[in-house]
Amino acid sequence: MNLSEIKKLIDKDRISQSKAKAREGLKYYKGEHEILNYRLFYYDSNGILKEDKYRSNIKIPHQFHTELVDQKVQYLLSNPVKVLVEDENLQEHLKEYINEDFQELLQNAIEGASNKGYEYVYAYVDEDNKINFQIADSLSVVPIYDKKNHYKLKSIVRYYDTKIQDQDEEVTITKAEVWTDKDVTYYIQDKNSKELKLDGGINPNPRPHIILEDDKAYYDGGSLGYIPFFKLQNNKYEKTDLESVKALIDDYDLMACSLSNNLQDFQEAIYVVRGYPGDNLDELTTNLKTKKTIGVDESGGIDIKTIDIPIAARESKLRLDKESIYKFGMGFDSSQIGDGNITNVVIKSRYALLDLKCNKTEIRIRKLIRQLLKVIVDDINKRNNTTYNYMDIEINIVRETMVNENDVYSNEKIEAETKGQLIDNILTSASRLDDDTVLKLLCEILELDYEEVKEKLDKQEIESVDFNSLSEQLINKTPEEVQEDE
């Protein structure tokens, strides 16, 4: 790509619809809603539209989007992601990479993808000569695909604005980087022509992915052999989580703030005065506020009027909006009360939509983790001269929900009583069955390995088995205890 093409690409990306949606999602996550720009207008006596700066204009953003995104991230990663492998040496090497920083990276990646539609993770070699990762803001990343080669990623353009001191004034200029699978080229904006040029402050330029000053470098030619950017999509269409609920959140903000404005504006009564002898309304208002009295003629009087605000209608609309936000935002509404019968089935049903949303995200986060594991294992192999395979690693993601402990205890008690009844039935019929059949049935109920239990009995050289005694022993032992005895 030549310099003019890169400049056009960056300028086009800045005003693209997808980046506009991404910035909007990020703003709402920070609580910067459209309600903050809400203004009131009126037509004066001459028919001219003017801004009303005297009426109440309360602006309160309700951060549903922030809650929905945080719910998704924290529920999906409620337990740290674990990577498990049978090879103990590889497991030990992985501990250097899969740590608290890696868990934070995954959280930031999901959060960024939820707000912006997609997010990038960038791989680099740190000061310890080890592969590490960090977030590359997708707002400043533009992928270039090869149309002739099945839209394979050809290069990455990353740009950002920075401020420099030009004589007595501060000037904002653009810097850009073009990444390929071999090297990276750095550009800087000319402060006079506003066009891009090669950054003379970086030497060499272009330069390899990795340049180390010591003798520990082990990458051939300083190239990673791949473009070190990995993309996490929020969904197939790369839409933000905000897009499905933005209109509802804006409506909720408007309804809630309008109700507050109504209560603020109409908190005082309106006085209707008849037969007031004066002609100055300011004097009338002053007398009402200070002296609490006014004078009227013989046919005059005063009526006090109040306005009924449709609070019930607004509350119904707010409740409807809130339900719709959690429904279409596929979140968990913690304010739900129900009938008070909070069983685990009820809890699970309330998490149903959040589970569906996280299922879609989990597939994509697993794909990202697998890509990062390939990079990690390649790094381990190069540093330790080994031949580990990243596909041997199991990715373990376990979500955790709140549970009703009484419900759990009740279910366990019913299960234990059911097993006891089944064992009693088997023992009652034991005289009509052979020993092996009885032993198989008991092991099946108690979830024990029949072959292992039988082998243990054979070693003890038991000629006749007292199944009543044996069943009592098995019932009182957990499967783990049985394994230890063997």
Side-chain angles (χ1 to χ4, degrees):
M1 297 179 66
N2 57 43
L3 294 177
S4 61
E5 289 177 338
I6 297 173
K7 183 68 166 58
K8 288 180 181 178
L9 182 69
I10 293 174
D11 292 340
K12 183 179 179 181
D13 185 71
R14 287 184 190 274
I15 61 174
S16 67
Q17 186 69 17
S18 62
K19 293 300 172 71
K21 292 289 186 182
R23 284 188 285 269
E24 187 177 61
L26 203 55
K27 287 177 64 177
Y28 269 66
Y29 184 78
K30 297 176 181 178
E32 300 171 8
H33 294 199
E34 285 188 4
I35 192 67
L36 297 177
N37 301 318
Y38 191 68
R39 299 163 65 189
L40 300 173
F41 292 87
Y42 70 96
Y43 285 98
D44 63 9
S45 57
N46 297 320
I48 299 175
L49 185 66
K50 291 185 177 181
E51 184 175 359
D52 191 342
K53 297 183 179 181
Y54 300 98
R55 286 174 55 194
S56 297
N57 188 13
I58 296 172
K59 303 173 182 180
I60 305 174
H62 299 79
Q63 295 184 241
F64 288 105
H65 175 62
T66 308
E67 180 188 358
L68 290 171
V69 171
D70 287 347
Q71 272 188 12
K72 174 183 176 181
V73 175
Q74 299 305 320
Y75 180 54
L76 184 58
L77 302 178
S78 50
N79 289 303
V81 174
K82 294 182 179 179
V83 291
L84 307 173
V85 64
E86 293 182 0
D87 192 304
E88 294 182 0
N89 292 328
L90 177 55
Q91 187 74 62
E92 196 65 27
H93 285 309
L94 288 173
K95 289 181 180 179
E96 297 182 50
Y97 302 84
I98 312 301
N99 49 27
E100 291 83 359
D101 292 336
F102 188 81
Q103 304 294 340
E104 182 183 4
L105 176 87
L106 296 180
Q107 289 201 15
N108 292 336
I110 299 174
E111 180 185 303
S114 301
N115 287 321
K116 296 179 281 188
Y118 57 92
E119 189 64 290
Y120 280 95
V121 173
Y122 161 67
Y124 67 98
V125 175
D126 62 17
E127 63 275 8
D128 296 324
N129 205 21
K130 179 173 68 71
I131 282 289
N132 212 330
F133 306 98
Q134 67 181 27
I135 295 296
D137 187 359
S138 60
L139 288 174
S140 302
V141 176
V142 187
I144 309 298
Y145 297 99
D146 188 353
K147 296 181 180 179
K148 298 180 181 179
N149 191 14
H150 306 286
Y151 286 89
K152 181 181 178 182
L153 184 63
K154 183 169 63 174
S155 59
I156 285 284
V157 176
R158 182 168 66 171
Y159 64 91
Y160 55 94
D161 295 329
T162 185
K163 294 181 179 180
I164 62 171
Q165 195 69 27
D166 183 23
Q167 296 180 358
D168 296 333
E169 62 177 345
E170 197 174 55
V171 180
T172 300
I173 63 171
T174 300
K175 289 188 175 184
E177 305 164 1
V178 178
W179 292 76
T180 67
D181 59 350
K182 296 180 180 179
D183 54 29
V184 53
T185 307
Y186 296 86
Y187 300 94
I188 190 171
Q189 187 181 54
D190 189 289
K191 60 183 179 181
N192 297 320
S193 65
K194 301 299 182 181
E195 296 296 327
L196 290 177
K197 64 178 183 178
L198 278 175
D199 191 346
I202 296 178
N203 187 35
N205 190 12
R207 66 191 302 173
H209 295 150
I210 307 162
I211 293 182
L212 299 177
E213 297 179 356
D214 53 29
D215 297 329
K216 296 180 180 179
Y218 49 81
Y219 285 96
D220 297 333
S223 174
L224 292 170
Y226 56 87
I227 302 174
F229 287 81
F230 305 91
K231 187 178 186 179
L232 174 63
Q233 293 178 301
N234 191 42
N235 47 59
K236 177 181 178 181
Y237 303 103
E238 297 183 349
K239 288 183 174 291
T240 70
D241 283 356
L242 175 66
E243 292 182 56
S244 60
V245 293
K246 180 182 179 300
L248 290 167
I249 293 175
D250 288 341
D251 189 58
Y252 190 98
D253 286 344
L254 184 60
M255 290 296 107
C257 292
S258 296
L259 178 58
S260 298
N261 289 333
N262 291 156
L263 294 173
Q264 184 72 22
D265 288 335
F266 299 112
Q267 61 182 339
E268 297 182 359
I270 296 176
Y271 297 90
V272 180
V273 181
R274 302 186 306 276
Y276 178 63
D279 56 1
N280 192 327
L281 292 179
D282 291 337
E283 180 184 352
L284 169 63
T285 304
T286 301
N287 289 338
L288 283 171
K289 288 183 176 181
T290 58
K291 301 177 181 178
K292 304 298 181 184
T293 59
I294 57 171
V296 296
D297 58 23
E298 295 180 355
S299 61
I302 184 170
D303 296 327
I304 300 176
K305 301 291 185 180
T306 58
I307 297 176
D308 293 328
I309 301 173
I311 293 179
R314 288 195 183 276
E315 286 180 341
S316 298
K317 185 67 174 74
L318 289 172
R319 186 165 52 251
L320 180 61
D321 278 347
K322 182 180 177 181
E323 291 174 358
S324 299
I325 288 170
Y326 282 109
K327 179 179 180 181
F328 297 113
M330 301 180 75
F332 171 73
D333 185 2
S334 59
S335 65
Q336 287 179 323
I337 299 175
D339 58 2
N341 185 26
I342 310 299
T343 64
N344 287 333
V345 175
V346 173
I347 294 173
K348 187 175 181 180
S349 68
R350 292 182 180 178
Y351 275 91
L353 289 174
L354 184 56
D355 268 318
L356 286 175
K357 182 164 66 172
C358 288
N359 286 342
K360 295 168 65 178
T361 304
E362 183 176 327
I363 294 173
R364 290 176 168 80
I365 196 66
R366 283 181 178 275
K367 180 180 177 181
L368 174 66
I369 295 172
R370 184 66 66 186
Q371 291 175 324
L372 301 184
L373 284 175
K374 183 179 187 305
V375 174
I376 290 172
V377 172
D378 286 346
D379 191 57
I380 292 173
N381 288 336
K382 287 182 178 180
R383 296 178 68 201
N384 300 279
N385 196 25
T386 53
T387 57
Y388 297 123
N389 188 348
Y390 75 100
M391 292 303 294
D392 295 335
I393 302 174
E394 177 187 350
I395 301 170
N396 192 7
I397 300 177
V398 180
R399 303 174 209 164
E400 188 172 305
T401 60
M402 63 180 74
V403 295
N404 186 329
E405 296 293 345
N406 290 332
D407 200 16
V408 173
Y409 174 77
S410 178
N411 291 337
E412 290 177 349
K413 181 180 179 182
I414 293 173
E415 184 180 354
E417 291 174 349
T418 302
K419 284 185 178 181
Q421 185 61 50
L422 291 173
I423 291 172
D424 288 342
N425 294 340
I426 292 172
L427 296 178
T428 302
S429 306
S431 59
R432 302 180 183 180
L433 302 172
D434 61 273
D435 293 348
D436 282 345
T437 301
V438 174
L439 184 59
K440 284 181 180 179
L441 292 172
L442 288 174
C443 289
E444 182 178 343
I445 294 172
L446 297 171
E447 299 178 0
L448 301 175
D449 190 304
Y450 164 73
E451 296 296 338
E452 292 181 0
V453 175
K454 189 173 186 306
E455 182 180 354
K456 177 183 176 182
L457 293 176
D458 290 341
K459 287 181 180 179
Q460 293 177 350
E461 297 180 355
I462 299 178
E463 297 180 357
S464 60
V465 181
D466 183 352
F467 286 105
N468 287 288
S469 175
L470 175 62
S471 63
E472 290 178 2
Q473 295 177 23
L474 294 176
I475 292 173
N476 293 327
K477 290 187 177 183
T478 64
E480 290 77 10
E481 290 174 333
V482 173
Q483 294 288 346
E484 291 177 2
D485 291 343
E486 294 173 359

